[in-house]
Amino acid sequence: MTIGRTRSVAVTGIHGRVVDVEADVSGGLPCFTVSGMPDTACRQSPDRVKAAAVNSDLELPKQRITVNLSPASLLKQGSGFDLAIAVAALVAGGTISPELVEGVVHLGELGLDGAVRAVPGVLPAVLAAEEAGVRQVVVPVGNAAEAALVPAVEVVPVDTLAALVQRYRCLHRRGPTPPLPEVPPRLSVAPTAPDLADVVGQPEARYALEVAAAGGHHLAMIGPPGAGKTMIAERLPGLLPPLQREQALEVTAIHSVLGALPDHVLIEHPPFMAPHHGASMASIIGGGSGRVRPGAVSRAHGGVLFLDETPEFRRDVLDALRQPLESGRVHVARASEVVTYPARFQLVLAANPCPCGNNFGKGAGCVCPPQVRRHYLSRLSGPLLDRVDLRLKVLPVTRAMLAGPRGESSATVAERAQAARLRQAVRWREIGKHLNSQVPGPVLRSGPWRLGAEVSRPLDEALETGSLTLRGYDRCLRVAWTIADLDGAPRPELQHVLEARGLRESGEAA
């Protein structure tokens, strides 16, 4: 009995699990089968492996070849198992020495000509290999820079199956190995963010954007077309600090799974996602037929999710945002698996006051029937809006605003926001939080962080009358702490609480 063994990785969500790839050669008619819950792409691997071996002048055993992907109860998806299956089969046939490959992870798709092609999800696969104690990973050249983000693992880039087999033959003879293919350098290029100084007027919206950036708060803007809502939202990522290493790897892993990594590979700056209002549930939350893919909420992880024309989105899609807004994760459940993706983002909503957009001021230019006006914004459910910290009305730009002085630049505002974030990180480090928006409500309402009765009186009265829910009460407290941090105050004072309440109520009159 001849069995060849090597390893690969099955990726579910952005988490991987090392898979043992075993190939058995036995008597009988020539046949090549794969077992262990392969999907359609993985089940077709024998056809690609046979063609790649023939066109690489390599000989597979002319007997029955059975490949098992263990654990067999774990679903194996995609063509990334091709290289491992080919190596295991060549070991079983005596072409490759078994001790060279048994503990090595092989990732990559095989072309019919023997080329090793890039596959999605290599970064989470290499991270899983590192966690499992693997010290060497063979990847396609196109994925080498991505795999090199995990420094504890030796990355071996290959471009063809024949070159990989030649390398193993040289290692077996203890001779010099052929040079590895050249890997493109890993770059880290900051995206060009639009400047906040380009926004004309809108001092309240600019201030709300600064508060949102300083404390990680969600924002909703209601105003007529052309008031600058989209311009304001697009400038929020430029006010946020670069991602920390762990979060940058998570964001990069999400884009790796999608096969959408940019040239500079490591995503170190907050992403900005602005899906169209006709987007489906799967494209926003995650899912899809076949393989579960991350949605816009996960692609915006660590950054900003902007929903323009929010009332035009499907109601069920908007309501599905409530769970990731609270937990920072999204769970996509299927009959065979539950896939979890990170989804901690800042939500920015923008809406017109009515379908025609002219229901502002006296509303003289509005042509919408009264019933249509009443129901338009009601498409945004109360529970969703209750999770939005800052809600404000954006008015049209006037001639006086055009003639006024230019506003502060993004760099100036970002500096103040970063200083406020540093104060928050020091204050909440004992409870493992970094931003005011992440602090649980009970912490702010008890112990040393509880505000005095006179300071919290506006919120207490609103809670008593029912105009403010307990969730809204907590969110106002968080915003008040952020405003105090921007002012350099050690604790929120009455004026900070009133400002926080005002920033929440401004959009309700739109």
Side-chain angles (χ1 to χ4, degrees), residues 225 309 312 352-358 366 368 372-373 376-377 379:
E309 305 292 346
E312 302 296 338
N352 294 327
C354 65
C356 77
N358 294 319
C366 181
C368 301
V372 173
R373 277 186 250 169
Y376 185 67
L377 289 180
R379 298 179 186 178

Side-chain angles (χ1 to χ4, degrees), residues 3 44 61 101 147 232 271 305 312 343 359 392-393 397 429 432 453 485 489 502:
I3 295 181
Q44 295 169 346
V101 301
I232 293 168
L305 177 65
E312 302 296 338
N359 186 28
L392 60 141
K393 179 168 59 175
V397 176
R429 62 187 173 189
D485 288 328

Side-chain angles (χ1 to χ4, degrees), residues 196-206 227 232 397 401-402 405-407:
L196 188 59
D198 298 334
V199 177
V200 176
Q202 307 297 0
E204 186 181 24
R206 292 170 61 95
I232 293 168
V397 176
M401 292 179 183
L402 286 174
R406 195 178 187 204

